[in-house]
Amino acid sequence: MISNEQHDRMANAIRFLAMDAVEKANSGHPGLPMGAADIATVLFTKYMKFDPKNPNWPDRDRFVLSAGHGSMLLYALLYLTGYPDMTIEDIKQFRQLGSKTAGHPEFGHATGIETTTGPLGQGIANAVGMAIAERKLEQEFGSDLQDHYTYALCGDGCLMEGISHEAIALAGHLKLNKLVLFWDNNSITIDGAVSLSDSTDQIARFKAVHWNTIEVDGHDQKAISDAIEAAHKSDRPTFIACKTVIGFGAPNKAGTHKVHGSPLGAEEIAATRKALNWESEAFDTPADVLDAWRSAGERSVQARKAWEARLSATDETKKAEFTRRFAGQLPAGFDKAIDDYKKKLAEKPPTIATRKASEDALEVINGFLPETLGGSADLTPSNNTKTSQMTSITPTDFGGRYMHWGIREHGMAAAMNGITLHGGLIPYSGGFMIFSDYCRPSIRLAALMGIRVIHVLTHDSIGVGEDGPTHEPVEHMAALRAIPNLLMFRPADAVETAECWQLALEDGKRPSGLALTRQNLAPARTTYSEENLCAKGAYELIAADDAKVSIFASGSEVEIAVKAAADLKAKGIAARVVSVPCFELFEDQPEDYKTTVIGTAPVKIAAEAAVRQGWDRFIGSDGAFVGMHSFGASGPAKDLFKHFGITSDAIVAAAEAKLS
């Protein structure tokens, strides 16, 4: 252990970088970095296994700053420990447009930022996902290749958010003993004292969900060190409650909400420099302190080299598989496996629900991709997400490939983000589409980060039927399509479902959602096509010369559109049908393709058992829409579609009205 004097100087380097950066930006949260600096100094100088020169080393320890508003703590650590892409100039550009040092940590802006945090509680759940991934991959590849810890730092806000309970309850159940959560217990929130709004006994809470709990003085380096040592010996995840003073060192503002989210001001910073005996100017770290931090950044180089030697000595097949999976690459032959499956579907097109079509596609996918990790929020029989290759993961056996997330949609979605960020696995979940509301913050962050997670969202419309309007998503496709960088698929049959799964898996930079039916659908694609037509987002399913009507539809309404086109043809009205499985991929296409698909028919109609929002892109503001204009109702699905006017007859009537 370093001397108390050296520890204090190293911790103060974090404090002054944080307060100076916030002051220069005239924006930010200096209180947490100042209060948690001692925790971070002990962790990064003695326990964290990381190498700034090889920041993506697969067996590194992960550090998640769940309390993302304290971002300067992380940025200071990255700079001080020697990450090449975090310079003092980056620190000076804190919160400025285009800088790596955004107001909250953003994955991809700089190495060492393991996840995007900001919405409180997300980081806790991300860390749980990372710990799940480590345990799963250790079981699969052995401790020679995967044997590391996940550390996270949270604040009171993280623990108040409901997602935290979903995450910690699951972690305790799974006995994720390589997960260590530090609580910056400073008793302050933006409004003032925590006691204004909360009196939870957090120690009792964590004990109740089977965590190891430890309470320490968050400014005592030995106590912090002893707690981490104890955590490493635990058979459960560990919660270390660190009693700290927010804004530690600031003579007049420490311990108050005034230092939470505002610059200290020049006068208070000067007083803090005097109080902590820090003579250096702003952004200037004394050479001996910086040298000590850089030495800490090199502490794990030998461990990294030893790991590389173990990887090199690993059986070639196993080594190649491990390397491929951490590179995020799918195995050779995946396209052929999907293509062969499509040929089988063309031979005998099935009339099945797309949730069942998804299960059938997953049977092929999971047989070919060992890295898929399936799961469901307690809806496995309804989501059809568990295939024959998958056994359940349990607290004592991580050899399986299927997670029972429990009724924890928000925690599930955030933990999936952590699994993907860890590397080596591709998670997919199962849930009802209506409950995507519970997943939405995590889905949004996945899109913001540009990571591959896949959400199976079944029971996608009023086709849910008897469960009624509480379970019938009408606005959810529009709401999810509104999230930038998210691919939302709504396939019309088994072939489209297979193609959409292929696209979701092959896109390593975007999350995906698959909206799937409960009710059976007639096949839309009855002939084999080598080309993945869904890759274009929208394509002409039924052509018509000199078409007077273009009908655009997705999912279950493609079947209705096809019948309407036939009925119009019988009336002497030429109609074409365009299947629209993915708005976002359609927008990726060249302008000439989009123009051709939208076509020149004078009448354009869209059909979807959802609200109209978004469809004007295809039909214009003067086009007709056959869909939902209200919430749903309880009753058999066929009765509901008729009741709400989502039928082929309604499409025909709309076309005739427009043509008259």
Side-chain angles (χ1 to χ4, degrees), residues 179-508:
L179 174 62
V180 181
L181 177 62
F182 298 94
W183 172 28
D184 178 33
N185 178 17
N186 60 39
S187 302
I188 295 293
T189 63
I190 291 175
D191 279 1
V194 168
S195 59
L196 288 170
S197 60
D198 191 60
S199 54
T200 302
D201 183 338
Q202 296 293 355
I203 296 296
R205 178 188 174 209
F206 275 79
K207 283 182 177 178
V209 291
H210 309 296
W211 282 57
N212 176 37
T213 61
I214 304 171
E215 296 182 78
V216 300
D217 178 346
H219 301 297
D220 182 336
Q221 68 154 325
K222 185 178 187 306
I224 297 165
S225 181
D226 289 347
I228 297 172
E229 296 279 358
H232 287 180
K233 297 172 184 174
S234 177
D235 63 352
R236 294 173 290 168
T238 297
F239 178 63
I240 304 177
C242 303
K243 190 59 186 172
T244 61
V245 177
I246 191 170
F248 180 92
N252 303 302
K253 295 186 177 181
T256 74
H257 70 283
K258 294 179 180 179
V259 75
H260 180 281
S262 302
L264 272 69
E267 185 175 330
E268 184 74 356
I269 288 178
T272 307
R273 277 185 154 77
K274 184 176 181 180
L276 296 179
N277 194 29
W278 191 264
E279 298 179 354
S280 299
E281 297 296 320
F283 302 106
D284 181 18
T285 303
D288 64 313
V289 176
L290 186 57
D291 287 346
W293 269 115
R294 294 293 160 87
S295 293
E298 296 173 354
R299 186 175 49 79
S300 301
V301 169
Q302 291 307 313
R304 189 258 306 164
K305 289 182 177 178
W307 178 86
E308 289 175 343
R310 293 195 299 274
L311 178 64
S312 181
T314 300
D315 168 81
E316 287 298 324
T317 301
K318 183 177 177 181
K319 177 171 66 176
E321 178 68 5
F322 182 89
T323 302
R324 175 189 71 77
R325 285 168 59 171
F326 269 89
Q329 299 171 348
L330 300 183
F334 175 65
D335 286 345
K336 184 179 185 303
I338 297 296
D339 194 57
D340 289 345
Y341 175 57
K342 284 168 59 178
K343 289 177 182 176
K344 291 181 181 179
L345 291 174
E347 291 171 4
K348 192 176 181 181
T351 298
I352 54 176
T354 51
R355 63 171 174 163
K356 173 58 178 170
S358 172
E359 180 183 25
D360 292 345
L362 280 170
E363 190 68 33
V364 175
I365 290 163
N366 291 336
F368 199 84
L369 300 180
E371 62 263 46
T372 51
L373 183 70
S376 174
D378 199 54
L379 290 167
T380 298
S382 297
N383 299 148
N384 298 63
T385 43
K386 189 177 183 183
T387 61
S388 66
Q389 303 88 351
M390 294 191 156
T391 57
S392 299
I393 288 172
T394 71
T396 56
D397 184 2
F398 270 64
R401 293 171 58 190
Y402 196 81
M403 282 290 302
H404 294 278
W405 294 102
I407 304 92
R408 302 184 181 102
E409 286 90 354
H410 196 358
M412 171 183 73
M416 287 169 59
N417 289 351
I419 290 169
T420 295
L421 290 162
H422 178 279
L425 296 166
I426 301 174
Y428 70 84
S429 72
F432 283 176
M433 189 170 180
I434 193 76
F435 302 133
S436 65
D437 283 341
Y438 291 166
C439 303
R440 186 182 177 88
S442 304
I443 294 175
R444 181 181 186 273
L445 286 170
L448 181 62
M449 290 187 277
I451 59 174
R452 176 172 48 196
V453 295
I454 302 169
H455 293 270
V456 174
L457 303 169
T458 68
H459 297 58
D460 70 339
S461 74
I462 58 171
V464 171
E466 291 84 353
D467 274 338
T470 62
H471 281 54
E472 292 167 7
V474 295
E475 78 275 27
H476 294 70
M477 279 303 296
L480 289 165
R481 284 168 177 157
I483 298 176
N485 205 46
L486 170 67
L487 297 177
M488 275 306 301
F489 296 101
R490 192 163 184 256
D493 68 355
V495 174
E496 282 200 355
T497 302
E499 291 186 344
C500 290
W501 261 110
Q502 180 181 19
L503 294 164
L505 286 161
E506 289 181 342
D507 197 318

Side-chain angles (χ1 to χ4, degrees), residues 24 98 128 629:
K24 184 176 186 295
V128 170
H629 304 275

Side-chain angles (χ1 to χ4, degrees), residues 15-76:
R15 294 185 173 106
F16 283 100
L17 284 173
M19 69 179 79
D20 290 337
V22 170
E23 187 69 18
K24 184 176 186 295
N26 195 30
S27 174
H29 299 74
L32 183 146
M34 296 172 71
D38 292 304
I39 304 167
T41 299
V42 173
L43 180 62
F44 274 75
T45 60
K46 189 173 181 181
Y47 296 102
M48 273 287 291
K49 183 174 67 172
F50 68 108
D51 183 355
K53 302 299 191 294
N54 289 272
N56 297 319
W57 166 28
D59 200 37
R60 69 191 181 279
D61 289 342
R62 271 61 168 183
F63 175 71
V64 175
L65 182 63
S66 185
H69 56 275
S71 57
M72 268 309 307
L73 175 74
L74 179 56
Y75 301 148

